[in-house]
Amino acid sequence: MRIDAHIHFGDRHPEALALLEELDVKLLNICVAHDSFGNWRRQAEQYQALAAEYPERYAWCTSFDLPRFDDPGYVDSVLAGLANDFAAGAVACKAWKNLGMEVKTPAGEFFMVDDPLLDPVFDYVAKAGRTLLMHIAEPYSVWQPLTPDSPHYGYYSRNPQWHMYGKPEYPSHEQLMAARDRVAEKHPDLRVVGAHVGSLEYDMDEVAARFKRYPNFAVDVSARLSDLARLDSDRVRRLFLEFPDRILFGTDVVMRKDLSAMSEEERAKILDSLRNTYRVYRAYFESKGMVDVNGRQVQGLGLPDHVLEQFYVTNAQQWYPGI
């Protein structure tokens, strides 16, 4: 079995369940607290129900409401929500990039994730024995000109609000990383998983430096396969060999429409795409030869079996107890 420790795929359609059985994969569905995704509590209820009904194939990660600066009961309401979600089986809580890149304080300043307002929240997550998944910042290239050869051109050309080049009024990548690092430092008993290679996908030395500095910090590789494939394969492989217990498998596949609402042809296309995603990820991490990663021929990492077992399974079990 493999555990996809970062995905958004909440579906009980028989063909979806059959595919998960075929692939022998378990999914950790991640809630995202953001207005553009609608009521995130509905998403949480969907993921919770799936994990309860199919615990062998689904687990879930909750989130929390964005700050309400005029509400003196905000923190207490967040803690109550987390208590309910953890009791309902959530193995983690997510903090998203809108903390630092979108939410502003009443004074007009960007609200950073290390703000003292959230300290009781993160302390509670630690005391509850759960994990904080943090997607803070964007890929480093987002602060550079957007060009068609970027692995993220498609997303940021469609979502220019998250492209930071030429926007000096926004926090820099370095400022966002420093805020995220301070959370790990302030809460040493809190397990922190940095989504998307911890937004450090451009430099494995930067990832290694965090691993050495923060023993409570790990990363997943979700949505950053193309970034890793552009780096020197030997350097990426060395990171896995040096820190085999700190890197988790994940894809960040997003499905926004129920399979039951699709035509048979559309449903087959979506499921084939998921099957192919796992094939490409496996080829890159497992193969010792050249592999095709989104049209680019790159050297596969050829990771040893014991490292692959940690990457695919045991790291998720250790960093997300109860998964």
Side-chain angles (χ1 to χ4, degrees):
M1 183 184 73
R2 292 172 180 80
I3 299 174
D4 186 334
H6 191 139
I7 197 169
H8 312 267
F9 189 90
D11 208 295
R12 56 171 45 81
H13 192 282
E15 291 183 33
L17 296 173
L19 179 59
L20 300 184
E21 184 76 19
E22 171 195 326
L23 298 172
D24 196 15
V25 64
K26 182 171 184 174
L27 310 182
L28 175 57
N29 273 316
I30 310 298
C31 290
V32 180
H34 190 261
D35 292 342
S36 66
F37 301 139
N39 186 337
W40 78 267
R41 293 302 320 180
R42 289 199 298 269
Q43 183 186 63
E45 291 167 3
Q46 177 188 16
Y47 290 164
Q48 174 191 334
L50 278 173
E53 189 173 356
Y54 305 102
E56 73 284 359
R57 293 300 172 202
Y58 288 109
W60 73 291
C61 165
T62 187
S63 188
F64 56 91
D65 291 339
L66 298 178
R68 296 187 296 272
F69 298 104
D70 59 350
D71 179 3
Y74 165 72
V75 170
D76 288 340
S77 69
V78 168
L79 299 185
L82 290 176
N84 290 335
D85 290 345
F86 292 159
V91 300
C93 172
K94 181 175 184 176
W96 199 49
K97 63 189 180 184
N98 46 9
L99 300 177
M101 299 184 71
E102 185 177 66
V103 176
K104 290 187 177 182
T105 69
E109 299 175 345
F110 282 95
F111 179 83
M112 304 297 276
V113 74
D114 65 328
D115 190 283
L117 177 68
L118 296 181
D119 282 344
V121 176
F122 299 153
D123 284 338
Y124 182 82
V125 174
K127 290 176 182 177
R130 299 310 201 274
T131 300
L132 181 67
L133 173 64
M134 301 186 75
H135 174 183
I136 303 301
E138 293 284 66
Y140 188 74
S141 61
V142 162
W143 281 262
Q144 301 169 344
L146 185 62
T147 59
D149 64 341
S150 166
H152 305 289
Y153 178 78
Y155 177 83
Y156 294 104
S157 61
R158 296 190 304 270
N159 297 275
Q161 72 274 21
W162 296 115
H163 187 237
M164 295 293 106
Y165 180 73
K167 299 177 181 178
E169 68 275 17
Y170 282 79
S172 67
H173 184 272
E174 291 77 11
Q175 289 173 315
L176 292 165
M177 291 294 90
R180 194 272 315 280
D181 291 348
R182 284 191 290 270
V183 172
E185 184 175 359
K186 285 198 297 182
H187 304 275
D189 296 330
L190 174 66
R191 286 186 301 269
V192 176
V193 174
H196 317 312
V197 199
S199 294
L200 299 166
E201 71 296 321
Y202 64 97
D203 190 338
M204 298 300 95
D205 290 341
E206 292 288 342
V207 181
R210 267 66 173 195
F211 287 164
K212 293 174 182 177
R213 194 180 310 154
Y214 309 114
N216 57 328
F217 183 70
V219 301
D220 69 42
V221 301
S222 62
R224 297 297 180 264
L225 181 63
S226 292
D227 297 272
L228 295 177
R230 290 170 181 243
L231 301 179
D232 178 73
S233 294
D234 288 339
R235 181 62 190 97
V236 179
R237 190 174 192 273
R238 285 203 308 274
L239 185 75
F240 276 83
L241 297 181
E242 186 177 359
F243 301 99
D245 59 341
R246 310 286 284 278
I247 310 173
L248 286 66
F249 172 59
T251 61
D252 199 27
V253 166
V254 178
M255 189 180 72
R256 303 197 188 281
K257 183 179 178 182
D258 289 344
L259 290 173
S260 59
M262 300 179 186
S263 67
E264 183 175 349
E265 181 180 1
E266 185 180 10
R267 189 162 57 245
K269 183 178 179 180
I270 290 293
L271 294 176
D272 282 345
S273 176
L274 180 59
R275 182 184 287 107
N276 185 64
T277 294
Y278 286 128
R279 181 192 63 77
V280 174
Y281 270 80
R282 288 191 61 184
Y284 175 71
F285 292 108
E286 298 176 21
S287 176
K288 296 180 180 179
M290 300 299 291
V291 298
D292 185 298
V293 177
N294 298 327
R296 180 183 292 264
Q297 292 295 313
V298 301
Q299 178 68 48
L301 300 189
L303 297 173
D305 288 344
H306 73 278
V307 175
L308 288 170
E309 176 69 16
Q310 290 177 279
F311 174 54
Y312 285 136
V313 184
T314 58
N315 288 347
Q317 294 171 334
Q318 291 171 2
W319 287 88
Y320 296 112
I323 197 171

